[in-house]
Amino acid sequence: MSVTIVVLYHSSHGSVAAMAHEIAESIECQGGTALLRTFVAREPHDIVISKDDLIQCDGLAFGTPTRFGMMASQAKAFWETTSDLWLKGQLIDKPACVFSSSSSMHGGNEATLLNLSLPLLHHGMLLMGVPYEVPELLATQTGGTPYGASHVAGAQNSAQLSKDEIKICQSVGQRLVKITRKLQ
């Protein structure tokens, strides 16, 4: 059964983009279709999200960098334009997950993941976290939370995704496909 998942992200220094690509790759490995979308085109291959993308998708993975424990302003500005979708209930019961990156261990990833969840919950989406059956969640020395995948990029935003962070991103994509199929 084919599922289409939008992987929607904003990335300032490349960390969130790397996470989005790991999630998208795991969706594709499960036989799903991953549509990578951004809020602002920064690279020639970037495709900017449309409301139709959200209406037509079967599920959503949504991520931004941490901005003082909140989502990036580009994402907030987009979600503020979706009241028409909310009024029509067009996203109700679609499974979703969230992911984020910060520069330090205590840089606000968990607060940001909760903040990213709010518009999804208002739209009636079914929010998924990372269950503790994912062994990397207990082993990670960097990012990864039960609220969603996360990454610690370092003070210079130069740290690559750790093996544990990659596995957590992959588990998020796999679970999103699995749950989306069950709901169809």
Side-chain angles (χ1 to χ4, degrees):
M1 184 180 316
S2 181
V3 297
T4 301
I5 309 290
V6 168
V7 182
L8 175 60
Y9 69 96
H10 174 73
S11 190
S12 296
H13 301 286
S15 295
V16 176
M19 296 176 76
H21 285 274
E22 289 292 340
I23 293 168
E25 185 177 315
S26 70
I27 290 166
E28 298 277 339
C29 286
Q30 296 295 308
T33 300
L35 303 177
L36 284 162
R37 298 292 186 264
T38 62
F39 297 101
V40 178
R42 293 177 171 241
E43 302 292 329
H45 63 275
D46 287 346
I47 301 171
V48 175
I49 186 72
S50 72
K51 290 186 209 177
D52 283 338
D53 289 330
L54 290 179
I55 293 166
Q56 294 169 11
C57 75
D58 300 309
L60 174 69
F62 167 43
T64 79
T66 294
R67 296 289 181 257
F68 302 103
M70 296 179 285
M71 72 178 75
S73 62
Q74 295 85 345
K76 186 174 185 301
F78 172 77
W79 285 110
E80 288 177 356
T81 71
T82 63
S83 293
D84 56 330
L85 304 183
W86 173 74
L87 287 168
K88 295 175 186 172
Q90 291 179 293
L91 305 182
I92 291 174
D93 291 341
K94 291 186 184 203
C97 63
V98 293
F99 58 101
S100 185
S101 176
S102 67
S103 61
S104 69
M105 261 314 248
H106 304 289
N109 270 328
E110 288 185 343
T112 300
L113 293 168
L114 293 171
N115 182 255
L116 294 171
S117 302
L118 296 177
L120 310 183
L121 293 169
H122 276 267
H123 276 285
M125 299 184 90
L126 304 173
L127 190 62
M128 298 182 331
V130 180
Y132 278 97
E133 72 179 5
V134 177
E136 292 79 11
L137 193 57
L138 291 168
T140 184
Q141 295 295 305
T142 53
T145 79
Y147 309 125
S150 64
H151 169 64
V152 178
Q156 304 302 315
N157 292 305
S158 60
Q160 301 297 308
L161 298 179
S162 72
K163 289 179 183 177
D164 289 336
E165 291 169 338
I166 289 170
K167 288 286 192 180
I168 292 167
C169 286
Q170 291 169 346
S171 75
V172 163
Q174 292 164 1
R175 186 164 186 238
L176 194 51
V177 170
K178 176 183 168 185
I179 298 303
T180 302
R181 282 191 176 126
K182 283 185 176 185
L183 291 170
Q184 287 184 334

